[in-house]
Amino acid sequence: MYMSGTGSRARDVVFAPRLQALLRDHRGEEVFRLDPGTVGVAGAALTDRILAARPATEVERPTFKPLHGRSIPRTEASTVMQAIGRDVRAALKKPVRAVDLSGEWPHVGHVFLRDLVLEGDPYRLRILMDRALELTPKLTWTVIAAGAALPGRLRPGAPVSAIAGLTAEAANYGDRRYAMGLYRRAAAPVCFTVSTLVANALWLGSPFDDDTSNRNILYEAMRLLPPSWNILRRASPQYPALDSRIGAADDILLLPLLSHRDPALWEDPDEFRPERWDSLDPDDQPGYLPFGHASERCWGRHMVMPLAEMLLDVLRGDGLTVSPEQTAAKVPLAGLMGVADVRVVRP
């Protein structure tokens, strides 16, 4: 358990047992063994060398790993990301409708973003954005298979999002299933990540000082609760040469969860202090990897930050904050790190 904030904003962050064990047992360590075939790495310098040693393989890419055994070429991945990028830019230009964003976060934020970015898409696609599908890949693919089997298909040129438009050329069941899988892979993480990041920020620091920028708040929230809290690299011959503690058959789990709280890198590492970013560069801060390594930045970073700043601005403008009656929030063991079931209210 960790405390976040100070004074009236002090709240408990209750990590899942395995996450808590990592923080308790390995914070400040450079290299350690997690199991017989996996080495954990949290040292900033070694992390940098490992990630620079080679590009991520297709199975290591978080969004564009093979889909139903079918490889996704980088050219196709680029086309998909450009499409969702156009949708995000279009959404940011829309006037924000009056909407009540109080309630349970990150769910409320996710629904708001889904409707903002993808409001014109057909139901068979919009249902793929449901957060319940995060529970199991089997459920996700059951919904995709059912949607792909429905009669009728999207017409080319239909007034839908750019990412939905990429499904219009799918002429048969197999192609529709693949196209719907890409839609889910590209669109859902944007809404999941942004709503989780903003929920984390609210929990860690709201109500915020008026002179604190949204950007600094988000950088600090990503430090304490990095949505991408681990990065996997499969065993490769380059790695033992970098450090003798890494064996030839060892997979590597790089852990921003730990490097983001390393006392050797951060002053008051467990404190929510957004003002620290007045003098730090997030692109050049050792051990800080909210969007991956400089050699291969997350393609979604230019969508996540503007959407998160916009959403946080709306919440701050409406005076919304975490319910004072809620003093603890759990962080489950999941691919995307964030507090769950945060009650956001208007005082």
Side-chain angles (χ1 to χ4, degrees):
M1 181 181 295
Y2 280 86
M3 300 296 291
S4 64
T6 57
S8 63
R9 291 177 291 185
R11 304 181 183 108
D12 291 338
V13 177
V14 184
F15 288 97
R18 286 179 62 185
L19 297 172
Q20 183 64 49
L22 283 171
L23 286 162
R24 182 190 64 236
D25 298 338
H26 299 297
R27 187 163 64 151
E29 292 186 48
E30 183 182 42
V31 182
F32 45 90
R33 186 152 298 273
L34 291 168
D35 60 47
T38 309
V39 168
V41 172
L46 183 56
T47 294
D48 183 72
R49 294 198 299 272
I50 288 170
L51 291 175
R54 65 163 175 80
T57 65
E58 66 173 6
V59 297
E60 293 167 344
R61 288 185 285 165
T63 301
F64 293 109
K65 54 173 58 72
L67 188 58
H68 265 294
R70 179 172 168 179
S71 292
I72 303 172
R74 287 186 179 268
T75 52
E76 185 173 18
S78 179
T79 297
V80 170
M81 292 306 293
Q82 288 170 10
I84 189 64
R86 290 196 297 274
D87 293 329
V88 168
R89 289 192 295 274
L92 288 168
K93 294 177 182 177
K94 297 176 184 177
V96 178
R97 296 191 298 265
V99 60
D100 184 4
L101 292 176
S102 63
E104 185 181 288
W105 277 70
H107 175 74
V108 169
H110 173 77
V111 172
F112 170 80
L113 291 167
R114 179 202 66 193
D115 293 344
L116 179 71
V117 178
L118 306 166
E119 63 179 342
D121 291 355
Y123 179 73
R124 74 171 73 187
L125 294 177
R126 284 166 54 83
I127 195 175
L128 300 179
M129 303 295 291
D130 195 311
R131 291 187 69 92
L133 299 186
E134 289 290 278
L135 299 176
T136 167
K138 184 177 181 180
L139 178 60
T140 301
W141 286 111
T142 298
V143 173
I144 288 174
L150 289 172
R153 64 188 182 95
L154 191 67
R155 301 185 312 277
V160 295
S161 68
I163 188 71
L166 297 181
T167 70
E169 300 300 330
N172 55 55
Y173 170 77
D175 287 346
R176 281 197 299 274
R177 189 175 68 159
Y178 176 76
M180 290 175 68
L182 279 179
Y183 179 98
R184 161 75 183 182
R185 286 270 191 93
V190 174
C191 297
F192 288 148
T193 301
V194 172
S195 58
T196 296
L197 172 55
V198 173
N200 290 347
L202 290 170
W203 182 258
L204 291 166
S206 67
F208 305 106
D209 295 335
D210 290 342
D211 59 352
T212 303
S213 73
N214 288 331
R215 183 152 295 195
N216 281 4
I217 289 168
L218 295 168
Y219 285 149
E220 185 70 347
M222 287 188 290
R223 185 184 70 81
L224 287 169
L225 291 173
S228 297
W229 63 274
N230 70 82
I231 303 168
L232 177 66
R233 286 294 181 265
R234 300 292 187 186
S236 291
Q238 298 96 328
Y239 300 148
L242 298 176
D243 193 289
S244 61
R245 291 166 289 185
I246 302 172
D250 282 334
D251 292 336
I252 297 174
L253 194 67
L254 302 147
L255 290 159
L257 169 66
L258 301 184
S259 65
H260 285 198
R261 290 176 180 257
D262 188 339
L265 300 175
W266 309 93
E267 183 179 349
D268 297 325
D270 294 325
E271 291 295 316
F272 181 79
R273 291 178 48 190
E275 66 275 8
R276 75 174 79 233
W277 295 101
D278 289 338
S279 58
L280 298 177
D281 182 351
D283 289 329
D284 196 36
Q285 175 64 22
Y288 188 63
L289 298 166
F291 295 110
H293 187 255
S295 64
E296 201 165 14
R297 295 285 189 208
C298 171
W299 289 359
R301 66 182 304 201
H302 298 300
M303 291 176 272
V304 167
M305 285 301 290
L307 275 176
E309 288 183 76
M310 177 275 293
L311 186 52
L312 190 54
D313 203 49
V314 173
L315 288 160
R316 295 177 74 180
D318 284 350
L320 294 170
T321 187
V322 175
S323 169
E325 297 178 359
Q326 184 178 5
T327 59
K330 294 181 179 179
V331 176
L333 182 65
L336 190 66
M337 174 173 281
V339 287
D341 305 328
V342 173
R343 297 192 300 276
V344 174
V345 299
R346 181 175 289 104

